[in-house]
Amino acid sequence: MDDLLADEVRDCDTDDDDTADDRDRGRALLDAAEQHLLHHQPERAVALWQRLINEGGEYADDARVEYAGHLFRHSRGDGARAVLHKVMTNGRTNSVAWLQAALLLERHGHLVDALIWYSLATDGLTADEVSNSLWRKVMVTSRRRVKSALGMELDSIDELGEVGEVEASDKYFDLLDLFRKPSVLRGAVQVWSREEFAEARRRWPWRISTDSIDTYYREVEGVLREYDERVTIFHRTFKFFLDRVDELERRLSEPHPTAAPPAPDDNPGVPWPPERNQPCWCGSGRKYERCCGLGDPAGSRQAWGPEGLRAGAQLAVGRV
């Protein structure tokens, strides 16, 4: 270690053996390492991390996690995972370093490894233990998030965690699939409106494209051609169905609930097939003959539901 770095470590040292002072020193060295990275002096940061690791103690695992993050950023994933393995062997599952290590693996795409870390920290917990500890709730939520991303089934403890963005989008697109090939009932068919798809594109632009939306309407066109009778198409949004559910719940909560029919639907619907030179029923703004009425509606199905389970995920979890 050069003289400047030795002086820096000396500045953080204390002659007092008090535990609080030791914590302050460890935190100061970690902060100093971070500043070296900001000033493009990675070799000094690495030296401070190695100093803390070699000394052992409370901040050794924190230094290992920060060092591993540095290695990940420089495409040295194998080295990073080897450093994190030492954190795992220490077994401090309730430490901040343990959570940071799992998050680091998750952030860099090692979802199966991250799941193992989260599982080691949450296996054997009871519902009461999770509910009474913010730390355990964070760990359970993290495990739920990774299992959802891997397409794995959630258990009763996972259900106590908060729903993450990936899981929320998967459930949303599962619901979209309900109208992928809608049924014709009493001369009417319900399809998702372009208004609903616009909202989906706004929230999850990486999950749904304009091509997949157009493919959806062409798949519906194929269903209508197989039916081969005049029908009325109703464009729906999730809000429409949620409003109906709210109305039903309100009626059932009344002192004397009745079986009155739902409120009338003011949507007149769109006739299919449209007359010549009329706008397409899908709402694209183009004429039917140049849109869904053009050629064979059959095409490749666009995947917008949950991704499949990653290879080896179940096997990895089985090792925990």
Side-chain angles (χ1 to χ4, degrees), residues 132-158:
N132 295 327
S133 168
L134 178 60
W135 177 260
R136 289 166 179 157
K137 183 70 173 287
V138 169
M139 282 293 192
V140 168
T141 296
S142 299
R143 187 175 78 167
R144 174 174 184 156
R145 180 177 62 247
V146 172
K147 289 179 75 171
S148 177
L150 291 168
M152 299 176 65
E153 184 177 353
L154 304 180
D155 61 27
S156 59
I157 295 298
D158 296 323

mmCIF file of all heavy atoms in Angstrom, residues 132-158:
data_model
loop_
_atom_site.group_PDB
_atom_site.id
_atom_site.type_symbol
_atom_site.label_atom_id
_atom_site.label_comp_id
_atom_site.label_asym_id
_atom_site.label_seq_id
_atom_site.Cartn_x
_atom_site.Cartn_y
_atom_site.Cartn_z
ATOM 1 N N ASN A 132 -44.055 -9.557 11.319
ATOM 2 C CA ASN A 132 -43.545 -8.744 12.420
ATOM 3 C C ASN A 132 -42.137 -8.203 12.189
ATOM 4 O O ASN A 132 -41.554 -7.602 13.100
ATOM 5 C CB ASN A 132 -43.559 -9.560 13.724
ATOM 6 C CG ASN A 132 -44.963 -9.922 14.161
ATOM 7 O OD1 ASN A 132 -45.905 -9.158 13.933
ATOM 8 N ND2 ASN A 132 -45.121 -11.084 14.778
ATOM 9 N N SER A 133 -41.593 -8.412 10.990
ATOM 10 C CA SER A 133 -40.230 -7.958 10.723
ATOM 11 C C SER A 133 -40.152 -7.339 9.329
ATOM 12 O O SER A 133 -40.403 -8.006 8.328
ATOM 13 C CB SER A 133 -39.249 -9.136 10.825
ATOM 14 O OG SER A 133 -37.979 -8.777 10.316
ATOM 15 N N LEU A 134 -39.823 -6.058 9.276
ATOM 16 C CA LEU A 134 -39.665 -5.387 7.988
ATOM 17 C C LEU A 134 -38.546 -6.028 7.180
ATOM 18 O O LEU A 134 -38.655 -6.186 5.962
ATOM 19 C CB LEU A 134 -39.379 -3.895 8.207
ATOM 20 C CG LEU A 134 -39.145 -3.069 6.935
ATOM 21 C CD1 LEU A 134 -40.360 -3.124 6.020
ATOM 22 C CD2 LEU A 134 -38.791 -1.625 7.298
ATOM 23 N N TRP A 135 -37.467 -6.407 7.857
ATOM 24 C CA TRP A 135 -36.333 -7.028 7.173
ATOM 25 C C TRP A 135 -36.745 -8.335 6.490
ATOM 26 O O TRP A 135 -36.426 -8.563 5.322
ATOM 27 C CB TRP A 135 -35.214 -7.303 8.175
ATOM 28 C CG TRP A 135 -34.031 -8.006 7.578
ATOM 29 C CD1 TRP A 135 -33.734 -9.333 7.653
ATOM 30 C CD2 TRP A 135 -33.010 -7.411 6.785
ATOM 31 N NE1 TRP A 135 -32.585 -9.614 6.962
ATOM 32 C CE2 TRP A 135 -32.124 -8.440 6.413
ATOM 33 C CE3 TRP A 135 -32.760 -6.118 6.355
ATOM 34 C CZ2 TRP A 135 -30.990 -8.203 5.637
ATOM 35 C CZ3 TRP A 135 -31.638 -5.880 5.579
ATOM 36 C CH2 TRP A 135 -30.770 -6.920 5.230
ATOM 37 N N ARG A 136 -37.468 -9.185 7.217
ATOM 38 C CA ARG A 136 -37.906 -10.449 6.622
ATOM 39 C C ARG A 136 -38.906 -10.209 5.506
ATOM 40 O O ARG A 136 -38.940 -10.938 4.507
ATOM 41 C CB ARG A 136 -38.507 -11.344 7.701
ATOM 42 C CG ARG A 136 -37.447 -11.893 8.660
ATOM 43 C CD ARG A 136 -38.051 -12.485 9.910
ATOM 44 N NE ARG A 136 -37.018 -13.018 10.796
ATOM 45 C CZ ARG A 136 -37.179 -13.196 12.096
ATOM 46 N NH1 ARG A 136 -38.344 -12.879 12.659
ATOM 47 N NH2 ARG A 136 -36.197 -13.685 12.831
ATOM 48 N N LYS A 137 -39.738 -9.169 5.642
ATOM 49 C CA LYS A 137 -40.696 -8.849 4.580
ATOM 50 C C LYS A 137 -39.951 -8.447 3.303
ATOM 51 O O LYS A 137 -40.356 -8.824 2.196
ATOM 52 C CB LYS A 137 -41.604 -7.695 5.045
ATOM 53 C CG LYS A 137 -42.685 -7.305 4.059
ATOM 54 C CD LYS A 137 -43.747 -8.386 3.946
ATOM 55 C CE LYS A 137 -44.918 -7.921 3.077
ATOM 56 N NZ LYS A 137 -45.748 -6.918 3.772
ATOM 57 N N VAL A 138 -38.856 -7.716 3.447
ATOM 58 C CA VAL A 138 -38.042 -7.331 2.286
ATOM 59 C C VAL A 138 -37.457 -8.569 1.613
ATOM 60 O O VAL A 138 -37.465 -8.697 0.380
ATOM 61 C CB VAL A 138 -36.922 -6.365 2.713
ATOM 62 C CG1 VAL A 138 -35.916 -6.172 1.580
ATOM 63 C CG2 VAL A 138 -37.511 -5.018 3.121
ATOM 64 N N MET A 139 -36.948 -9.493 2.413
ATOM 65 C CA MET A 139 -36.367 -10.720 1.867
ATOM 66 C C MET A 139 -37.428 -11.566 1.147
ATOM 67 O O MET A 139 -37.192 -12.081 0.049
ATOM 68 C CB MET A 139 -35.730 -11.540 2.985
ATOM 69 C CG MET A 139 -34.381 -11.035 3.441
ATOM 70 S SD MET A 139 -33.118 -11.225 2.150
ATOM 71 C CE MET A 139 -31.633 -10.889 3.105
ATOM 72 N N VAL A 140 -38.592 -11.711 1.752
ATOM 73 C CA VAL A 140 -39.666 -12.499 1.145
ATOM 74 C C VAL A 140 -40.151 -11.825 -0.141
ATOM 75 O O VAL A 140 -40.397 -12.498 -1.151
ATOM 76 C CB VAL A 140 -40.825 -12.681 2.142
ATOM 77 C CG1 VAL A 140 -42.059 -13.239 1.455
ATOM 78 C CG2 VAL A 140 -40.397 -13.615 3.274
ATOM 79 N N THR A 141 -40.275 -10.507 -0.116
ATOM 80 C CA THR A 141 -40.678 -9.781 -1.321
ATOM 81 C C THR A 141 -39.659 -9.981 -2.435
ATOM 82 O O THR A 141 -40.027 -10.164 -3.607
ATOM 83 C CB THR A 141 -40.831 -8.281 -1.019
ATOM 84 O OG1 THR A 141 -41.898 -8.097 -0.089
ATOM 85 C CG2 THR A 141 -41.114 -7.486 -2.281
ATOM 86 N N SER A 142 -38.386 -9.977 -2.092
ATOM 87 C CA SER A 142 -37.331 -10.177 -3.086
ATOM 88 C C SER A 142 -37.392 -11.581 -3.672
ATOM 89 O O SER A 142 -37.243 -11.774 -4.880
ATOM 90 C CB SER A 142 -35.960 -9.926 -2.457
ATOM 91 O OG SER A 142 -35.861 -8.598 -1.988
ATOM 92 N N ARG A 143 -37.609 -12.572 -2.805
ATOM 93 C CA ARG A 143 -37.726 -13.949 -3.303
ATOM 94 C C ARG A 143 -38.936 -14.079 -4.219
ATOM 95 O O ARG A 143 -38.865 -14.732 -5.276
ATOM 96 C CB ARG A 143 -37.839 -14.933 -2.141
ATOM 97 C CG ARG A 143 -37.791 -16.387 -2.622
ATOM 98 C CD ARG A 143 -37.782 -17.370 -1.484
ATOM 99 N NE ARG A 143 -39.106 -17.553 -0.899
ATOM 100 C CZ ARG A 143 -39.411 -18.554 -0.049
ATOM 101 N NH1 ARG A 143 -38.478 -19.418 0.312
ATOM 102 N NH2 ARG A 143 -40.627 -18.668 0.447
ATOM 103 N N ARG A 144 -40.043 -13.459 -3.834
ATOM 104 C CA ARG A 144 -41.247 -13.510 -4.675
ATOM 105 C C ARG A 144 -40.972 -12.881 -6.040
ATOM 106 O O ARG A 144 -41.392 -13.398 -7.071
ATOM 107 C CB ARG A 144 -42.394 -12.777 -3.977
ATOM 108 C CG ARG A 144 -43.642 -12.650 -4.837
ATOM 109 C CD ARG A 144 -44.803 -12.052 -4.083
ATOM 110 N NE ARG A 144 -46.007 -12.030 -4.899
ATOM 111 C CZ ARG A 144 -47.239 -12.003 -4.430
ATOM 112 N NH1 ARG A 144 -47.437 -11.985 -3.119
ATOM 113 N NH2 ARG A 144 -48.269 -11.995 -5.247
ATOM 114 N N ARG A 145 -40.264 -11.748 -6.036
ATOM 115 C CA ARG A 145 -39.964 -11.058 -7.290
ATOM 116 C C ARG A 145 -39.144 -11.936 -8.238
ATOM 117 O O ARG A 145 -39.446 -12.037 -9.430
ATOM 118 C CB ARG A 145 -39.203 -9.765 -6.975
ATOM 119 C CG ARG A 145 -38.835 -8.944 -8.202
ATOM 120 C CD ARG A 145 -38.143 -7.653 -7.806
ATOM 121 N NE ARG A 145 -36.890 -7.891 -7.091
ATOM 122 C CZ ARG A 145 -36.690 -7.586 -5.803
ATOM 123 N NH1 ARG A 145 -37.652 -7.038 -5.100
ATOM 124 N NH2 ARG A 145 -35.520 -7.833 -5.231
ATOM 125 N N VAL A 146 -38.129 -12.617 -7.705
ATOM 126 C CA VAL A 146 -37.274 -13.447 -8.546
ATOM 127 C C VAL A 146 -38.021 -14.694 -9.012
ATOM 128 O O VAL A 146 -37.917 -15.087 -10.181
ATOM 129 C CB VAL A 146 -35.986 -13.823 -7.793
ATOM 130 C CG1 VAL A 146 -35.180 -14.843 -8.585
ATOM 131 C CG2 VAL A 146 -35.148 -12.581 -7.541
ATOM 132 N N LYS A 147 -38.778 -15.326 -8.130
ATOM 133 C CA LYS A 147 -39.539 -16.518 -8.531
ATOM 134 C C LYS A 147 -40.553 -16.168 -9.614
ATOM 135 O O LYS A 147 -40.770 -16.939 -10.552
ATOM 136 C CB LYS A 147 -40.236 -17.137 -7.314
ATOM 137 C CG LYS A 147 -39.266 -17.809 -6.351
ATOM 138 C CD LYS A 147 -39.979 -18.396 -5.144
ATOM 139 C CE LYS A 147 -40.722 -19.658 -5.459
ATOM 140 N NZ LYS A 147 -41.224 -20.335 -4.243
ATOM 141 N N SER A 148 -41.160 -14.999 -9.508
ATOM 142 C CA SER A 148 -42.100 -14.570 -10.539
ATOM 143 C C SER A 148 -41.386 -14.366 -11.867
ATOM 144 O O SER A 148 -41.884 -14.764 -12.922
ATOM 145 C CB SER A 148 -42.802 -13.282 -10.105
ATOM 146 O OG SER A 148 -43.663 -12.810 -11.118
ATOM 147 N N ALA A 149 -40.202 -13.755 -11.828
ATOM 148 C CA ALA A 149 -39.436 -13.538 -13.057
ATOM 149 C C ALA A 149 -39.031 -14.850 -13.706
ATOM 150 O O ALA A 149 -38.921 -14.945 -14.934
ATOM 151 C CB ALA A 149 -38.199 -12.691 -12.760
ATOM 152 N N LEU A 150 -38.818 -15.875 -12.888
ATOM 153 C CA LEU A 150 -38.450 -17.195 -13.406
ATOM 154 C C LEU A 150 -39.666 -18.025 -13.809
ATOM 155 O O LEU A 150 -39.512 -19.132 -14.314
ATOM 156 C CB LEU A 150 -37.644 -17.963 -12.357
ATOM 157 C CG LEU A 150 -36.232 -17.427 -12.075
ATOM 158 C CD1 LEU A 150 -35.651 -18.079 -10.830
ATOM 159 C CD2 LEU A 150 -35.336 -17.660 -13.276
ATOM 160 N N GLY A 151 -40.863 -17.515 -13.557
ATOM 161 C CA GLY A 151 -42.073 -18.252 -13.910
ATOM 162 C C GLY A 151 -42.391 -19.374 -12.950
ATOM 163 O O GLY A 151 -43.073 -20.332 -13.318
ATOM 164 N N MET A 152 -41.937 -19.276 -11.715
ATOM 165 C CA MET A 152 -42.114 -20.351 -10.747
ATOM 166 C C MET A 152 -43.342 -20.116 -9.882
ATOM 167 O O MET A 152 -43.773 -18.981 -9.663
ATOM 168 C CB MET A 152 -40.864 -20.461 -9.864
ATOM 169 C CG MET A 152 -39.596 -20.774 -10.646
ATOM 170 S SD MET A 152 -38.136 -20.782 -9.578
ATOM 171 C CE MET A 152 -38.523 -22.174 -8.529
ATOM 172 N N GLU A 153 -43.893 -21.206 -9.383
ATOM 173 C CA GLU A 153 -45.073 -21.135 -8.526
ATOM 174 C C GLU A 153 -44.705 -20.556 -7.162
ATOM 175 O O GLU A 153 -43.675 -20.908 -6.585
ATOM 176 C CB GLU A 153 -45.684 -22.526 -8.370
ATOM 177 C CG GLU A 153 -46.976 -22.553 -7.569
ATOM 178 C CD GLU A 153 -47.582 -23.943 -7.495
ATOM 179 O OE1 GLU A 153 -47.059 -24.848 -8.172
ATOM 180 O OE2 GLU A 153 -48.565 -24.109 -6.750
ATOM 181 N N LEU A 154 -45.561 -19.681 -6.648
ATOM 182 C CA LEU A 154 -45.315 -19.072 -5.343
ATOM 183 C C LEU A 154 -45.890 -19.938 -4.228
ATOM 184 O O LEU A 154 -46.919 -20.582 -4.409
ATOM 185 C CB LEU A 154 -45.956 -17.685 -5.288
ATOM 186 C CG LEU A 154 -45.540 -16.686 -6.366
ATOM 187 C CD1 LEU A 154 -46.270 -15.354 -6.168
ATOM 188 C CD2 LEU A 154 -44.040 -16.472 -6.370
ATOM 189 N N ASP A 155 -45.214 -19.941 -3.071
ATOM 190 C CA ASP A 155 -45.747 -20.674 -1.926
ATOM 191 C C ASP A 155 -46.424 -19.698 -0.961
ATOM 192 O O ASP A 155 -46.511 -18.492 -1.226
ATOM 193 C CB ASP A 155 -44.657 -21.487 -1.226
ATOM 194 C CG ASP A 155 -43.530 -20.619 -0.684
ATOM 195 O OD1 ASP A 155 -43.775 -19.442 -0.377
ATOM 196 O OD2 ASP A 155 -42.395 -21.126 -0.556
ATOM 197 N N SER A 156 -46.906 -20.210 0.147
ATOM 198 C CA SER A 156 -47.684 -19.377 1.075
ATOM 199 C C SER A 156 -46.851 -18.250 1.671
ATOM 200 O O SER A 156 -47.370 -17.161 1.961
ATOM 201 C CB SER A 156 -48.269 -20.246 2.194
ATOM 202 O OG SER A 156 -47.233 -20.910 2.909
ATOM 203 N N ILE A 157 -45.549 -18.472 1.868
ATOM 204 C CA ILE A 157 -44.683 -17.419 2.404
ATOM 205 C C ILE A 157 -44.427 -16.359 1.333
ATOM 206 O O ILE A 157 -44.438 -15.156 1.615
ATOM 207 C CB ILE A 157 -43.357 -18.009 2.917
ATOM 208 C CG1 ILE A 157 -43.619 -18.928 4.123
ATOM 209 C CG2 ILE A 157 -42.393 -16.897 3.314
ATOM 210 C CD1 ILE A 157 -44.233 -18.215 5.315
ATOM 211 N N ASP A 158 -44.220 -16.783 0.091
ATOM 212 C CA ASP A 158 -44.041 -15.815 -0.992
ATOM 213 C C ASP A 158 -45.232 -14.874 -1.096
ATOM 214 O O ASP A 158 -45.087 -13.683 -1.384
ATOM 215 C CB ASP A 158 -43.871 -16.534 -2.338
ATOM 216 C CG ASP A 158 -42.620 -17.381 -2.392
ATOM 217 O OD1 ASP A 158 -41.599 -16.956 -1.830
ATOM 218 O OD2 ASP A 158 -42.676 -18.470 -2.990
#
